[in-house]
Amino acid sequence: MATVLVRNGRVVTASESVLADLFVDGEKVALVGQGLSLPADTVIDASGCLVLPGGVDAHTHLDMPAGPLPSADDFEPGTRAAAFGGTTTVVDFATPAPGESLLAALETWRRKAESKAAVDYGFHMALRGLGGATLAEMAHLVRDEGVTSFKLYLAYPGVLQVDDATFFRALLGARECGALTQVHAENGGVIDVLVRRALARGETAPRYHALTRPPETEAEATARAISMATLAGAPLYVVHLSCAAALAHVTAARDRGLPVHAETCPQYLFLSIADYDRPGFDGARYVMSPPLRDTADQEALWRGLAGGDLEVVATDHCPFTLADKARGRHDFSKIPQGAPGIETRMMLLWDGGVRAGRIDAPRFVELTAAAPARLFGLWPRKGTIAVGSDADLVVWDPERETRFSAETLHMRVDYSPYEGRVVHGGPVFVLSRGEVVVDHGEWKGRPGRGQFLKRAPGPARP
Ligand SMILES: [Zn+2]
């Protein structure tokens, strides 16, 4: 078993920030203390740097079929890019094909990942419906397979959208087996009407993607999901929350003590509805759902992150190439929805959050690693630095400068939504279970070394 000594860094967890050395024995953190001087196979000098727990990205779509197209990243480039950005755990969405059993879908996703993933991974399970065997399958996944969260969509009618009865029965079922229910909260029926009316008026450009999914459609679905979760006595996790109006419902629920949790994503903090008006067809690069919002929404999200009502920053990483995006050149509703983000999450949040004085370093760790690990049953193996935790570590240089460009980022997609943006703060070394996988921008990992993570039922049960 190889050993690693990380010396002279400032170790930051969600609860503290202390100067300390770390001794890694094999895959685990074995000692944390000052002035450690044990012999080790590898010694890393972290002077002037922070030592953070590896990031946990709780929302990715690698190798995800979206109609006729798969998302551009599969588990090999996707998890490599994650590691380059300091993320050492991803929780991806297994999505059954229509009529496919949940167990078969899990098997499909495990096969997609097992020979390719370079960092550890787990799966949430999407539910398209709640047929006869589904409740029993949910219980089996939670008990025996380590899949402890289920996602339902209140958008995309005819594709993934479920009706209220199905959503409510899923909440009851999830409560029964100790699972956490995740919701994509947009009102798909209303959006469908708005989209048809826009297209009938000849409004086909990318900007109409945003104008046909206004904040009210997200706020309404968020409020409805919270009400149903409250009736079911079940915890709820709202994915990719994008606007002030939806956040207000989450805040009100949390003020009542309800177990309602929410994540946002960097695109909703750093990009805005103005990006849809970029010249030519460039607005298509920003087509995702929910869409980008106003700058006032960004400010509300930052307040939510600082104040605690937003608990997680994940990515919704789901890239499509420009050629794929061009399918919607004459009809915004045919633009594949999604954008790259798995690599840039932590650098953006450090630069725009910590350096800008909106959040401190422990809060950064909480949002990027600790909270997703706790909510999704990976704590304390992931999300913190402690004796016995996995040695998923990031030696983070708070001043390291990166200019984002599709040319130099590692995601398999030919554009970056942040092209040309300069950020400060980024990883120098990244370790996954004690192994250096990134060293000063050089790749040292290998596909297939990532392990499937069986997750525990989270602590979010009321
Ligand atoms: Zn998503």
Short mmCIF file of all heavy atoms in Angstrom, two decimals, residues 59-61 93 151 153 184 239-240 263 289 316-318, ligand 1:
data_model
loop_
_atom_site.label_atom_id
_atom_site.label_comp_id
_atom_site.label_asym_id
_atom_site.label_seq_id
_atom_site.Cartn_x
_atom_site.Cartn_y
_atom_site.Cartn_z
N HIS A 59 -24.94 16.04 -9.51
CA HIS A 59 -25.89 16.15 -10.62
C HIS A 59 -25.14 16.15 -11.95
O HIS A 59 -24.73 17.21 -12.45
CB HIS A 59 -26.71 17.44 -10.46
CG HIS A 59 -27.88 17.54 -11.40
ND1 HIS A 59 -28.99 18.29 -11.11
CD2 HIS A 59 -28.12 17.00 -12.61
CE1 HIS A 59 -29.87 18.21 -12.12
NE2 HIS A 59 -29.34 17.43 -13.05
N THR A 60 -24.95 14.98 -12.52
CA THR A 60 -24.31 14.88 -13.85
C THR A 60 -25.12 13.95 -14.74
O THR A 60 -25.87 13.09 -14.26
CB THR A 60 -22.87 14.35 -13.75
OG1 THR A 60 -22.87 12.97 -13.33
CG2 THR A 60 -22.03 15.16 -12.77
N HIS A 61 -24.96 14.17 -16.04
CA HIS A 61 -25.60 13.31 -17.05
C HIS A 61 -24.54 12.87 -18.05
O HIS A 61 -24.41 13.44 -19.13
CB HIS A 61 -26.70 14.07 -17.79
CG HIS A 61 -27.82 14.54 -16.92
ND1 HIS A 61 -28.83 13.70 -16.48
CD2 HIS A 61 -28.10 15.76 -16.40
CE1 HIS A 61 -29.69 14.39 -15.74
NE2 HIS A 61 -29.27 15.63 -15.67
N PHE A 93 -27.21 10.36 -13.08
CA PHE A 93 -28.61 9.91 -13.11
C PHE A 93 -28.78 8.71 -14.03
O PHE A 93 -28.66 8.84 -15.26
CB PHE A 93 -29.53 11.05 -13.58
CG PHE A 93 -29.71 12.09 -12.52
CD1 PHE A 93 -28.88 13.19 -12.45
CD2 PHE A 93 -30.70 11.94 -11.56
CE1 PHE A 93 -29.03 14.13 -11.45
CE2 PHE A 93 -30.86 12.88 -10.56
CZ PHE A 93 -30.02 13.98 -10.50
N LYS A 151 -35.36 10.49 -8.76
CA LYS A 151 -35.69 11.79 -9.35
C LYS A 151 -36.91 11.68 -10.24
O LYS A 151 -37.03 10.75 -11.04
CB LYS A 151 -34.52 12.28 -10.18
CG LYS A 151 -34.77 13.63 -10.88
CD LYS A 151 -33.60 13.95 -11.78
CE LYS A 151 -33.74 15.32 -12.43
NZ LYS A 151 -32.66 15.55 -13.40
N TYR A 153 -39.60 14.11 -12.82
CA TYR A 153 -39.67 15.32 -13.62
C TYR A 153 -41.12 15.81 -13.65
O TYR A 153 -42.02 15.04 -13.98
CB TYR A 153 -39.23 15.04 -15.05
CG TYR A 153 -37.75 14.71 -15.21
CD1 TYR A 153 -37.26 13.44 -14.90
CD2 TYR A 153 -36.87 15.64 -15.72
CE1 TYR A 153 -35.92 13.14 -15.06
CE2 TYR A 153 -35.51 15.34 -15.89
CZ TYR A 153 -35.05 14.09 -15.56
OH TYR A 153 -33.72 13.79 -15.73
N HIS A 184 -37.28 17.69 -10.60
CA HIS A 184 -37.06 18.72 -11.63
C HIS A 184 -38.35 19.52 -11.67
O HIS A 184 -39.38 19.04 -12.15
CB HIS A 184 -36.76 18.07 -13.00
CG HIS A 184 -36.64 19.07 -14.12
ND1 HIS A 184 -35.60 19.07 -15.00
CD2 HIS A 184 -37.44 20.10 -14.51
CE1 HIS A 184 -35.75 20.06 -15.88
NE2 HIS A 184 -36.87 20.69 -15.60
N VAL A 239 -33.67 19.95 -7.56
CA VAL A 239 -32.44 20.06 -8.35
C VAL A 239 -32.43 21.39 -9.12
O VAL A 239 -33.48 22.01 -9.32
CB VAL A 239 -32.29 18.87 -9.34
CG1 VAL A 239 -32.22 17.54 -8.61
CG2 VAL A 239 -33.39 18.86 -10.39
N HIS A 240 -31.25 21.79 -9.51
CA HIS A 240 -30.99 22.98 -10.34
C HIS A 240 -31.99 24.13 -10.18
O HIS A 240 -32.59 24.59 -11.14
CB HIS A 240 -30.81 22.62 -11.81
CG HIS A 240 -31.89 21.80 -12.49
ND1 HIS A 240 -33.21 22.03 -12.30
CD2 HIS A 240 -31.80 20.78 -13.37
CE1 HIS A 240 -33.90 21.18 -13.04
NE2 HIS A 240 -33.07 20.40 -13.69
N GLU A 263 -30.50 22.58 -4.54
CA GLU A 263 -29.19 22.87 -5.14
C GLU A 263 -29.37 23.93 -6.21
O GLU A 263 -30.44 24.08 -6.80
CB GLU A 263 -28.59 21.60 -5.79
CG GLU A 263 -29.26 21.25 -7.11
CD GLU A 263 -28.73 20.01 -7.84
OE1 GLU A 263 -28.06 19.15 -7.25
OE2 GLU A 263 -29.03 19.91 -9.05
N SER A 289 -32.38 23.62 -19.22
CA SER A 289 -33.61 23.83 -18.46
C SER A 289 -33.41 23.50 -16.99
O SER A 289 -32.85 22.45 -16.69
CB SER A 289 -34.73 22.94 -19.00
OG SER A 289 -35.06 23.39 -20.30
N ASP A 316 -25.35 19.80 -13.20
CA ASP A 316 -26.25 19.41 -14.30
C ASP A 316 -25.45 19.28 -15.60
O ASP A 316 -25.94 19.60 -16.68
CB ASP A 316 -27.41 20.40 -14.47
CG ASP A 316 -28.57 19.83 -15.27
OD1 ASP A 316 -28.57 18.61 -15.53
OD2 ASP A 316 -29.46 20.60 -15.65
N HIS A 317 -24.22 18.80 -15.48
CA HIS A 317 -23.33 18.64 -16.65
C HIS A 317 -24.00 17.75 -17.69
O HIS A 317 -24.27 16.58 -17.43
CB HIS A 317 -22.01 18.03 -16.19
CG HIS A 317 -21.05 17.71 -17.29
ND1 HIS A 317 -20.29 18.67 -17.89
CD2 HIS A 317 -20.72 16.54 -17.89
CE1 HIS A 317 -19.52 18.10 -18.82
NE2 HIS A 317 -19.77 16.81 -18.84
N CYS A 318 -24.28 18.30 -18.87
CA CYS A 318 -24.95 17.55 -19.93
C CYS A 318 -24.63 18.23 -21.26
O CYS A 318 -25.47 18.92 -21.84
CB CYS A 318 -26.45 17.51 -19.68
SG CYS A 318 -27.34 16.38 -20.78
ZN ZN B 1 -30.19 17.34 -14.92
#
